[in-house]
Amino acid sequence: MPTPQTTELPDIPRTIGGIAAALEAHWQDKFWDDVRRIHDGISARMAIDDWWRQAVIDTAGSDTAKRAALEDAADLHLIALARADSDGTTMNHEEAMAVFDQAQAS
């Protein structure tokens, strides 16, 4: 069985400044709008995770194959972080979306 190929993630700090520095210019206004809407730890985590993922993908420029590989690698990294932070409980999709909707309404 072949070993899955792994893609090394670029060294982008998972901070507002690190992400802002790595994002393509066309994302900057949307990014800063989302940063201004951060109001608690959950919304901060969601914004950081979403935009860090985009910054990682953006490092590939216009190379679509590399963008796809980085997208997969970033997703796997975020899944691993979520599992590490988990207390062992899980939510189904509907429960997760209810939490998301509540956070967006706040």
Side-chain angles (χ1 to χ4, degrees):
M1 173 181 257
T3 304
Q5 187 174 11
T6 58
T7 300
E8 187 172 330
L9 292 168
D11 186 20
I12 299 173
R14 293 184 67 233
T15 63
I16 291 170
I19 293 165
L23 282 171
E24 292 177 350
H26 66 94
W27 291 117
Q28 292 293 325
D29 289 342
K30 175 81 171 102
F31 171 71
W32 288 109
D33 286 346
D34 285 357
V35 167
R36 282 188 281 279
R37 283 194 285 275
I38 292 173
H39 61 277
D40 61 17
I42 292 171
S43 63
R45 175 72 183 256
M46 290 171 62
I48 294 291
D49 286 351
D50 288 347
W51 284 108
W52 175 84
R53 179 181 178 271
Q54 186 60 55
V56 166
I57 295 166
D58 285 355
T59 64
S62 62
D63 182 337
T64 56
K66 187 171 181 183
R67 288 181 77 84
L70 284 171
E71 181 176 10
D72 289 345
D75 287 344
L76 291 173
H77 180 77
L78 291 172
I79 289 167
L81 287 177
R83 283 186 179 148
D85 289 346
S86 173
D87 64 1
T89 60
T90 59
M91 287 187 272
N92 64 32
H93 179 73
E94 289 79 22
E95 292 168 330
M97 291 310 297
V99 170
F100 175 76
D101 290 342
Q102 183 180 11
Q104 294 299 314
S106 300

